[in-house]
Amino acid sequence: MTSSARADLSRLLFDGRYEQTHQDLHELLLDPVFDPRQGLTMTEAGKLAYERSRAVHAALERPREILADPWRLFALAEWPSLLDVSVFSLLMVHYNLAFGTVVEHGARDDLKDLFDELDRLDSFSPYMATELGYGNNVAALRTEAVYDAATETFVLNTPDALAQKYMSYSGFQDIPKLAVVMARLKADGTDHGVFPFLVRISDGAGLCEGVHAAPCPEKPVQGLDNGLTWFDHVRVPRRNLLHGDMGRFDEKGVFRPAPGNRRKRFLRAMNRILPGRLCVSSAATGAGRAAVYIALRYAARRLTNAPGRNDLPVIEYRSHQLALFTALARTYAMTLLLNHAKREFTAAPRDGAPAELNHLVSITKALSTWEMTEVIAVCRERCGAQGIFSVNRIADYGSLLQGLVTAEGDNQVLLATTAGQIIAAGDDSEEPAAAPDPRGRSLGDPEFLLAALRHRERELLRAARAAMADDSRDRTYFEAWNDTVNGGLEMARARGVRTALECLTAAVDTARDGTARTALGLLAALYGLTEIRREAGWFLARGTLTADQVERLPQEADALCARIAPYADTLIDGFNLSPELLRAPIAAADYVTAFQQRTGAFGPAAARPAEGG
């Protein structure tokens, strides 16, 4: 491997921002506070996550500064979860969702004391939006805040069991919590819709008066204090309403909502969800890269046998290569897709994201978390029994991804909503992508594969719009959508895949180092071929592939793996990871000794560390 290839791949993967945005976060993870600790109970592991979150906060600039630089926020989402998956949840809920909402809607002089309290992390800030009975329909939530003009307070109340706040962090009652609570604002007998409120949940000595909480069942790996939270006529000062530009109290003390409908005000109140989806994708792709890095390093050192040979690294088997190199290609594709979405987000106006950006971010979130879920599962399996142990990280990443696919919008619901919006837009400004002629085309040519994927996306969109517009039978709108939704989901996924391959081929074109360019070109071909194989029947039926090409798909994938193999180390070195950072024994050069040292189980004397080592 050449250092120029590594540097070029790092430049592309981190969008040229590694030194200025990521490097100090990388170095922070070398702090002993992130060293593995064995034998902890779930509660002890959860408390440790809070300790580590405080250490990250103390080492970096203040949250208000990080929020002012979205690239920095996305980097913060990516790194700490590599060593403690629970830290991601604590930091992103506090920094992005909760404190971000305060910065957006409550940066006022009369809230300066609470603003500074959260900025100093004197209190953690849970974000309480989701309710037990309204998980994917936050706009319908039932928690209410009724204004009492006589006392200039709101009375916060949970009207029934279904309205209990769900999954937010209220279990550790000895940790000060100042939550952002989404509640239905009612004043002068009028329901003004959902607004955010700052509510003190606990003060370090226990839950505050009128606040009740019960823990959720335990989750694998993550010992965080998720719970059910409900309010019994809790008095909240008027100033704690985070109304921003969504409303105000006039000189007579009457609440005046901003012009416009409730839906627009609700979306404004929830505007931290969009960057939150990019934070979720950042954590997912970071975990995917780490899993692939660990699995490939282990595969190059884990010995097996072969016909006529002994002590052969398992990565020499084409079956192992196909699984892990495909995972590598997917990880590169999702990282570059995410970089594209981040650039579009940071370039957009702050006063309202265009529909196209919402579509891109939502598709990126759903596709990247689904893809990385599969990548991590493959990497865990290909590490054998070693992949089961938390000390080797990959199993913990699997637990993280299980949460990410439902965070900031459940993937299936999010993608269906996005598909419906794309279909309803009826925007045919793009010329239909004609089916490429497959005759004489190479299955290893990314441009041909990209043309085929573009054609599939456009055909799925055309079919979905036709299905929605079909008036040959009497249907309600719901029935029409129900007949269309699965095709719409495939269309939205196809758009994400096509965009990811475009980003990967663009990286090939912009690579400066020849070795990096060659390696990326092979990855682009393998990623495109993998997606073509996924729907080979569809392409064959429409003449986009010939029967001979369909039969050759497995052989073409194997041939690409053989060509990628010499570049595997180069490609993972671009991740800027190391065994010292990840502290995963199977990523070490001598993984047997590393595993024995970590577990304290020493076999043969030769495997023992030197005295004092």
Side-chain angles (χ1 to χ4, degrees), residues 593 596-597 601-611:
T593 299
Q596 289 179 319
Q597 289 175 339
F602 297 103
R608 295 177 182 272
E611 189 69 27

Side-chain angles (χ1 to χ4, degrees), residues 340-406:
H340 168 60
K342 290 175 181 176
R343 288 192 298 272
E344 293 297 308
F345 173 81
T346 54
R350 296 296 301 271
D351 58 351
E356 293 80 7
L357 175 60
N358 277 291
H359 299 161
L360 173 62
V361 171
S362 297
I363 290 172
T364 298
K365 186 268 174 179
L367 184 61
S368 65
T369 53
W370 270 332
E371 288 283 273
M372 293 304 98
T373 297
E374 292 185 16
V375 161
I376 288 166
V378 166
C379 290
R380 196 231 61 78
E381 178 189 352
R382 291 296 167 163
C383 289
Q386 288 279 12
I388 296 172
F389 302 118
S390 286
V391 72
N392 286 320
R393 303 291 181 197
I394 299 175
D396 285 10
Y397 299 154
S399 172
L400 173 67
L401 264 293
Q402 290 302 305
L404 296 184
V405 296
T406 57

Side-chain angles (χ1 to χ4, degrees), residues 11 52 105 129 154 239 253 312 334 343 381 391 440-441 452 520 526 578 598:
R11 175 184 64 83
R52 287 168 168 168
H105 306 302
F154 286 93
R239 70 169 182 144
L312 178 78
M334 291 303 103
R343 288 192 298 272
E381 178 189 352
V391 72
R441 302 298 296 269
L520 286 170
L526 182 58
S578 68
R598 186 61 52 80

Side-chain angles (χ1 to χ4, degrees), residues 265-283:
R265 290 197 296 269
F266 170 74
L267 293 175
R268 180 84 176 109
M270 299 281 291
N271 65 347
R272 295 307 305 177
I273 294 296
L274 194 65
R277 287 172 182 154
L278 294 173
C279 291
V280 165
S281 295
S282 296

Side-chain angles (χ1 to χ4, degrees), residues 196-239:
F197 294 80
L198 268 177
V199 182
R200 195 169 298 283
I201 302 300
S202 59
D203 57 10
L207 293 175
C208 296
E209 183 179 357
V211 179
H212 304 274
C216 289
E218 285 189 356
K219 305 185 303 299
V221 179
Q222 301 185 55
L224 290 176
D225 55 329
N226 301 94
L228 287 170
T229 311
W230 64 99
F231 307 99
D232 183 7
H233 298 87
V234 175
R235 291 279 175 174
V236 179
R238 189 177 89 174
R239 70 169 182 144

Side-chain angles (χ1 to χ4, degrees), residues 10 27 29 41 59 147 155 213 222 229 248 309 313 364 395 423 474 510 533 582 595:
S10 173
E27 293 170 354
L29 298 187
T41 65
Y147 185 58
V155 179
Q222 301 185 55
T229 311
R248 63 182 179 85
R309 297 183 61 182
T364 298
I423 293 166
D474 187 27
T510 56
R533 288 184 72 180
L582 294 173
F595 185 73

Side-chain angles (χ1 to χ4, degrees), residues 111-177:
L111 282 176
K112 185 177 185 305
D113 57 329
L114 302 181
F115 185 101
D116 290 345
E117 177 181 337
L118 296 176
D119 199 35
R120 294 190 303 265
L121 203 62
D122 292 344
S123 293
F124 279 86
S125 189
Y127 186 77
M128 297 186 172
T130 303
E131 294 181 353
L132 185 59
Y134 305 92
N136 282 310
N137 189 14
V138 178
L141 61 78
R142 301 272 298 283
T143 300
E144 61 183 23
V146 180
Y147 185 58
D148 179 358
T151 61
E152 295 190 339
T153 62
F154 286 93
V155 179
L156 185 69
N157 195 52
T158 302
D160 53 55
L162 292 180
Q164 295 173 97
K165 295 300 183 183
Y166 174 56
M167 287 298 290
S168 47
Y169 305 121
S170 58
F172 295 157
Q173 299 172 12
D174 58 340
I175 295 176
K177 304 281 183 66

Side-chain angles (χ1 to χ4, degrees), residues 495-510:
R495 176 167 291 196
V497 167
R498 181 264 299 170
T499 307
L501 185 55
E502 286 178 344
C503 293
L504 191 46
T505 55
V508 177
D509 294 338
T510 56

